[in-house]
Amino acid sequence: MVAAFRPGLVGLSLLALTTALAGPVQAAQAPSAPATVSAVRTPKGPLKAALLALGRQTGVQIIFTSRAVEGRQAPALNGPFSLDEALSRLLAGSDLEAQRAGPTVLVIRPRANLVPASAISPLAPDLLASPPTDPVEAAPPVQTANDATMLSEIVVGSRIRGVKDSASPVVVLGREEIDRAGYASVAEALTALPQASGGSASEDSLATGADANFNNTLRGTGVDLRGLGADATLVLFNGKRLAGAGLYGDFSDISSIPYAAVGRVEVLLDGASALYGSDAVGGVIDIRLRTDLDGGETRLSTGKATQGGYGRYLASQAFGKTWSGGHILAAYEYTRNDALHGLDRPYTGNADLRSLGGTDRRSATASQPANILRLNAAGAYVSTYAVPAGQNGVGLKPGDFVLGTVNYQNQKAAYDIIPASTRHSAVVSVGQSVGPVALSGDLRFAHREIFARNVAPTTTLILNAANPYYVSPTGQASERIAYSFLNERGGVKNWGTSESLGAALGAKTELGADWTADLSGTYAQELGISRTRGQLNATKLSEAAGLTADSPLTSFSAARDGYFNPYIGAGYSNPAAVLDFILSGWDLTKTRSEFKSANLDFEGPLLRLPGGTLRLAVGGQVRREEVRTGGARLLSGYSAIEKATTRYSRDVKAVYAELNAPLVGPDNALPFVQRLELSLAGRIEDYDDTGSTRNPKVGLIWAPSTSLTFKASYGTSFRAPSLYELHLPYTITPIPVTYQGGLLPALVYQGGNPDLKPETATSWTAGVSYTPTAAPDLTLGLNLYRILFKNRVGQPVVINQALTSDEYAAFRTRVSPATNPADRAKVLAVIADPNASGTSAYDTDTYGAIIDAREVNTGSLEVEGLDATAGYKTSLRGDPLVLNASLSWLTHYKRKLTPTSARTELAGQAGYPADLRARVSATWTHGPASVTTGLNHVGDSYADTGRRIHPWTTFDLQGRWQGRILAVDGLAVTLNIQNLFDRDPPFYDNPLAVGYDPVNADPLGRVVSLTLTKAW
């Protein structure tokens, strides 16, 4: 669902501001206004909650400011009341009154305040009055949710107070909207936006192979707007940056933020480095805290996938208190998710996809029973002899092997798509005005633990007669045997811990002449610890296979405890002592990302223009970014090896300025020019490692009438290379790469690059919104955009496709060291590099390629598309019915891997953003009950083979009862069903051996959840 801006309400927001009460304005809204409601039910407690409930039940839009109702209480109502009667009871004894601003619009305000005629919307002719002596402030913009409208100063997209709306498209998700859509977290709500795409930063990305660089080892959740990558979307928490998550520290993990503390989420769908600096290429997300909670809220939720294998559970508690000039919020949330195993879904637990109409993608090399590998004519290792099945591996003879036979292994039989996880998170926020100074402070902390099984360990072992079970089909002195431990020990166990910490302090003061100064400091930290056990120890495998003598450093003896036997058939296993010894390898990786900043901002008016006040915001920032890594491993040898501790940091300085010029406004409106507003912004950032960037932005808003508004913006953005991308030392390792039906040994460069430059982007947007004067409950919007993203930083090579895909030709060098002396010299030079390791796994003359998969600035991405939104408020059987629709159509997604390579169209191709995503919803409210239905659609796509992948349409259903339940006030019970008809993702013959596209679908199926919420 997408929030829709309603130009017809601008005048009403101006009206609300003339109450001279600072703070956000609330609107309890619905489309019709019955004279008497058969059963008005409003809770005893804060007046705000009562007014919102009354608006839903009576079909009247009730507008008020937070400050106007701050600290006020209201009695409970339960019975048939007219609107006037209900309001009279709720406002009894206060200095507030309700004034009609239209057929279905009321404004709550102090009785003494009057409104100037110039500030009144055409929808409110009854409110003409003499102007007050004090000037009227510009009104903030409108945020529309399903049941309630918050008129507040939207921070994202502008740093200037009072700006009605941004020239760039903005989507706002309120708590009510997130709840009614059935999302269990902020992460779910944001990743479900039609403008968002899946990718490398999701819970299933590592297991499914979508995270090709193994960055997201702790299965965090990032947001990828416009398909540009989670690292190109800037995420703010209450206006402040988060520390980077993942191995590279280059995306924000929004799963660490407790929903109990969230008031709303603002999404800017445009590049905004001119205001926010690095990473704001695809857009900016600002997760705003609740500041108006006056009381407590307890929430319990449980959900289960009906296909099995996945469940989620939540318990949260929030407390809040507001008073004159201040507030406090404290929220805690606990969540637990069950694992989703690959075998829980038919399209994820079997690499043989033929039964689904696909290809047999089981491993044809490493398996159990094993395969004997030989070089083919192309120099690649292929399975040439299969170890016979149904035997214990003892006494085999050369004649027992059949040339050309292959054993296949279902490598997907023992892994988890989504890990089991638990999370504790808490937020404390405090604000207090002391004279002209407003002090604020936020503190958040999250601790998350995961457990998952990864793929099973495998090995390619060169065996000889030193092993008592050795046999060669052709009498060779040694054989290369590919073996999998899947049947004996299952997948490698992975435990992970992530901790997120953030703190911010701020002081905002009035300087006079309506100027303000805002000083703030921020600290954020992300800690990640990943542990794996059950991995292969190469040294111990060699000993157990008899290839090296027993080591005195261990108590293991192959002669006593048993030799490793790679010739066993199906149904047999090596002794437990042998497996324990061989699979005693482990790895520990630690990463810590820190962010510190100091910010100073000024904002205020410059001069009066005919259309309004010219306002300026200027400011600066100094920040320090730091990444530390460490750990240990025991993957070879007999004692653990400490990983080299690394520590990378950089200092960044920035200054910015933003100018907002209302050229035409209510006071000088012209025919076909009711509003004309120009905005200019620019930012300079200086990095001590990659240099300086300068990014401008210009925006224009033109309203030829009160019902029609056009917007356009143009600007540049950038993303600075992460510290890991810059400084991670490169390595050279031997990797067998798919080639000519087998595996070709290749020497592969991987790692960072200190010569990287910032990625740069140029973007423009153009949009129109329309609210017919004759039908003010209808809102239509259309927005076009184009982004050209250049100098992309990354590892462009998919290693397993490096030798088979033409687009990777620039990153590979084919060599024939056995026949070409120059090629042999190249290979020997690479092997001699001090950063090379493990190169003795293959003979020098068998290496067939050198692949460079290091981080580089290369290529570009050109993205074009359009977003369309529609909202309509009507009634069904006299009760409010709210309809919303949002669609995102990606018309072009063209990639160039290098400046000289051909541009490839990838819009709608599997593994890349879908070319069409849409969501349609309807909410019908009848007294305390409501029903919400939602339709989610992902358009069809195609595989790189040209095969069509069918579209995916799912339905959600929610029933909610809010009010008095079993003589208890303030209760809400919600039954939510996501993917009502349990539609599996459309089949995709994925080369990664899962039968769906993890970038554009999820494997959960139908999830039924029950939520109980109690307001105190």
Side-chain angles (χ1 to χ4, degrees), residues 704-721:
S705 68
T706 57
S707 59
L708 187 64
T709 302
F710 294 93
K711 299 181 180 181
S713 69
Y714 174 85
T716 66
S717 299
F718 78 101
R719 187 189 79 86

Side-chain angles (χ1 to χ4, degrees), residues 479-549:
E479 291 284 3
R480 186 177 294 268
I481 301 178
Y483 188 86
S484 170
F485 293 90
L486 173 65
N487 297 343
E488 295 169 297
R489 285 296 169 91
V492 171
K493 297 178 180 179
N494 176 214
W495 292 266
T497 300
S498 63
E499 289 186 351
S500 179
L501 175 66
L505 293 174
K508 188 173 184 178
T509 185
E510 299 174 2
L511 300 176
D514 199 28
W515 275 83
T516 62
D518 191 348
L519 176 64
S520 63
T522 303
Y523 175 82
Q525 174 186 284
E526 291 283 342
L527 171 67
I529 301 174
S530 179
R531 304 177 180 86
T532 58
R533 292 194 178 277
Q535 291 187 271
L536 183 72
N537 184 306
T539 304
K540 294 181 178 180
L541 172 63
S542 181
E543 180 181 334
L547 303 178
T548 57

Side-chain angles (χ1 to χ4, degrees), residues 159 236 239-241 275-278 520 522 595-601 618-625 651-656 683-687:
R159 294 179 178 271
L236 307 175
K240 304 298 189 296
R241 282 179 177 257
L275 290 175
Y276 300 103
S278 180
S520 63
T522 303
F595 174 89
K596 305 170 187 175
S597 73
N599 314 274
L600 180 60
D601 305 285
V618 295
Q621 180 188 72
V622 292
R623 69 177 187 262
R624 184 173 181 82
E625 301 171 0
D651 293 318
V652 184
K653 301 173 183 177
V655 292
Y656 76 91
R683 186 180 180 102
I684 300 174
E685 289 209 0
D686 181 72
Y687 288 74

